[in-house]
Structure formats: structure tokens, C-alpha cells
Amino acid sequence: MALALRVIACLDVHDGRVVKGVNFANLADAGDPVDLAAGYGAAGADEIVFLDISASAQERATTRETVRATAERVFIPLTVGGGVRSVDDVDQLLRSGADKVGINTAALARPDLIGEVGQRFGDQVLVLSVDARREPGQPSGFGVTTHGGRRSAGRDAIAWAREAAERGAGEILLNSMDADGTTDGFDTELIAAVREVVDIPVIASGGAGRVEDFVAAARAGADAVLAASVFHYGVLSIDEVKRALADAGVEVRIGSKA
């Protein structure tokens, strides 16, 4: 029996505030991360992803105090990423209340980190964040970026997703940098390409604008669908998305709060 598709609310945090922009640029304030996370938990979100989007670029660690405050008010799985460079960083975030930890830049720089995290904490703890954009020079047509999409990693995104899964990543958080914040729909071609080469869960991120977009991502092979701006600004609710998915025949968890 297939697992229910998860609907995830994403908090992109910059300098302690939730922000949202288009393609990680022109960032606008969207609220307090702790309050927003608690609200999404009450509204029926299956998980929260907390990404400190400036941590790697500014070469600093994710703010553990904010993570701790969020974990105290949220009782669904919490994934935290941004500036995670070592097994010790993962340990500190888990101690602060994270259930899973997202890694991007550090894993590209030293892929052995994936296995080291898995060996110490279990594969389920590590969520590999793949910020992909269309790059004609790569074999698959998709390349990997780092530092919030500001730098090309010079790697093929599909090949990197496959390698990370083989090294022990627990999930792939697949963010389309081309679609991010545009509300033009998830990149279903990218989702399907990654789905074809990995057997671990794939979280689709980037581009959600309508309930139909979430259905399309599920049909392309996503195990979870993630959105930020459409939830932050009230364009869509968790409940609307889950009911649209259910109506389309996708199994989701709809409880009394959803």
C-alpha cells in the first residue's frame, strides 16, 4: 500500500524572518517563523521545512534558537536546513528539536558527509536539498546550484540525485530554481527525471500556484509537495490542496484539523 502523499509548508528564513521572493530574489517579509509554523501545524500540514536561505551565503549556522522555539510549538515533523556543514551541525540541530536536517552545499563539497550522517543518525535524518535549474550543458539538461541559486555547482542534477540516494540520503528535496516563487506550476519534467533514478522519497518544491499544480506533481512521481508563498499569503490553504489531491485520487491524510 502506497504511503499518503505529504503536503509540506516551507518557511524560507532570512535574518530571523520568513521571506518569499521569485527565484530567491526580491525578498519580501512574510512573517514570524514560529507563529507561521504553529499555524500550519494547526491547519493540517504534514510537515514543516525550515530553510535558512542566507546561512550558506553568509557562512554561518542556522539559528538554533529559532529552531528550538519552533519545535516547542509544532508537533509534526520539522526539517531544518541552511549552513549545515558537518555531522556536529546535524547533531546540534537535532538536539534543538529538528526531526530531519537538510544539506545542500556541504554535501556537494564533500559527498562522504551523506554517509557519515546516515551512519551516525540513520538515513531517515538526512534530506538532500537539490536546487536544480535548466542547464543545457548538462547531460540531463538540469544542473545543480548552491548558495540560494546564486552559484552553479557544475554538476548534473539528475546524476547527483542518484549518487546521493546511493550514498544513503533519506529523501530528496527537489527545488526547481526556475519555477521558484513564480506560481506557474511545479517542473514536472524535473520531478519525473529524478523519480526515474531514485527509490527514496522525492519532495517537489518550486512553482506551486493552483491546486492543480499539486496534483500534477503527484502524478509526475512526487511523494510530497511543498509550497511557501501560496500558503503564506492565503492564496491556497492546506485544506484546499489536500482535498483537491483526494478528489484526484491521490491518497492524503485529511484529519479533523485539515
Side-chain angles (χ1 to χ4, degrees):
M1 181 177 178
L3 295 175
L5 183 134
R6 292 168 287 152
V7 176
I8 301 174
C10 182
L11 308 180
D12 292 326
V13 180
H14 175 71
D15 292 337
R17 298 288 292 179
V18 176
V19 295
K20 200 59 198 153
V22 177
N23 306 128
F24 280 68
N26 301 315
L27 301 177
D29 189 282
D32 176 76
V34 179
D35 290 341
L36 281 170
Y40 289 133
D46 295 304
E47 295 185 18
I48 299 291
V49 169
F50 179 115
L51 297 177
D52 190 328
I53 63 172
S54 55
S56 287
Q58 296 177 5
E59 298 186 351
R60 59 178 173 77
T62 300
T63 306
R64 289 188 291 276
E65 293 76 11
T66 305
V67 173
R68 188 174 292 108
T70 302
E72 288 174 353
R73 293 181 57 188
V74 173
F75 305 102
I76 54 177
L78 174 64
T79 297
V80 180
V84 179
R85 300 180 185 85
S86 68
V87 171
D88 286 342
D89 288 342
V90 174
D91 182 58
Q92 291 186 30
L93 287 172
L94 294 175
R95 291 176 186 274
S96 297
D99 298 287
K100 295 182 278 188
V101 176
I103 299 178
N104 178 359
T105 306
L108 282 161
R110 197 172 68 83
D112 285 346
L113 179 60
I114 296 171
E116 292 167 5
V117 171
Q119 184 175 17
R120 181 162 172 184
F121 304 107
D123 292 354
Q124 77 285 349
V125 161
L126 193 147
V127 179
L128 184 81
S129 183
V130 179
D131 292 345
R133 72 171 12 126
R134 290 174 187 270
E135 195 173 316
Q138 296 295 341
S140 71
F142 294 100
V144 180
T145 68
T146 63
H147 297 77
R150 290 182 285 275
R151 300 183 194 174
S152 171
R155 294 206 56 168
D156 183 274
I158 310 306
W160 172 231
R162 181 197 291 115
E163 179 183 338
E166 292 171 348
R167 285 179 174 272
E171 297 184 67
I172 301 289
L173 172 52
L174 182 63
N175 186 42
S176 168
M177 300 305 294
D178 298 312
D180 179 77
T182 64
T183 68
D184 290 334
F186 293 99
D187 190 331
T188 54
E189 183 182 350
L190 173 63
I191 296 166
V194 171
R195 172 77 287 156
E196 190 173 331
V197 300
V198 304
D199 58 6
I200 59 175
V202 175
I203 304 167
S205 170
R210 307 171 302 152
V211 292
E212 293 85 358
D213 297 333
F214 294 87
V215 174
R219 289 175 173 163
D223 300 280
V225 285
L226 177 151
S229 56
V230 291
F231 293 151
H232 299 339
Y233 301 132
V235 177
L236 296 173
S237 69
I238 300 289
D239 180 63
E240 286 178 282
V241 170
K242 285 194 169 187
R243 294 191 184 281
L245 286 162
D247 288 345
V250 179
E251 183 180 351
V252 290
R253 299 182 190 89
I254 300 181
S256 58
K257 292 183 180 180

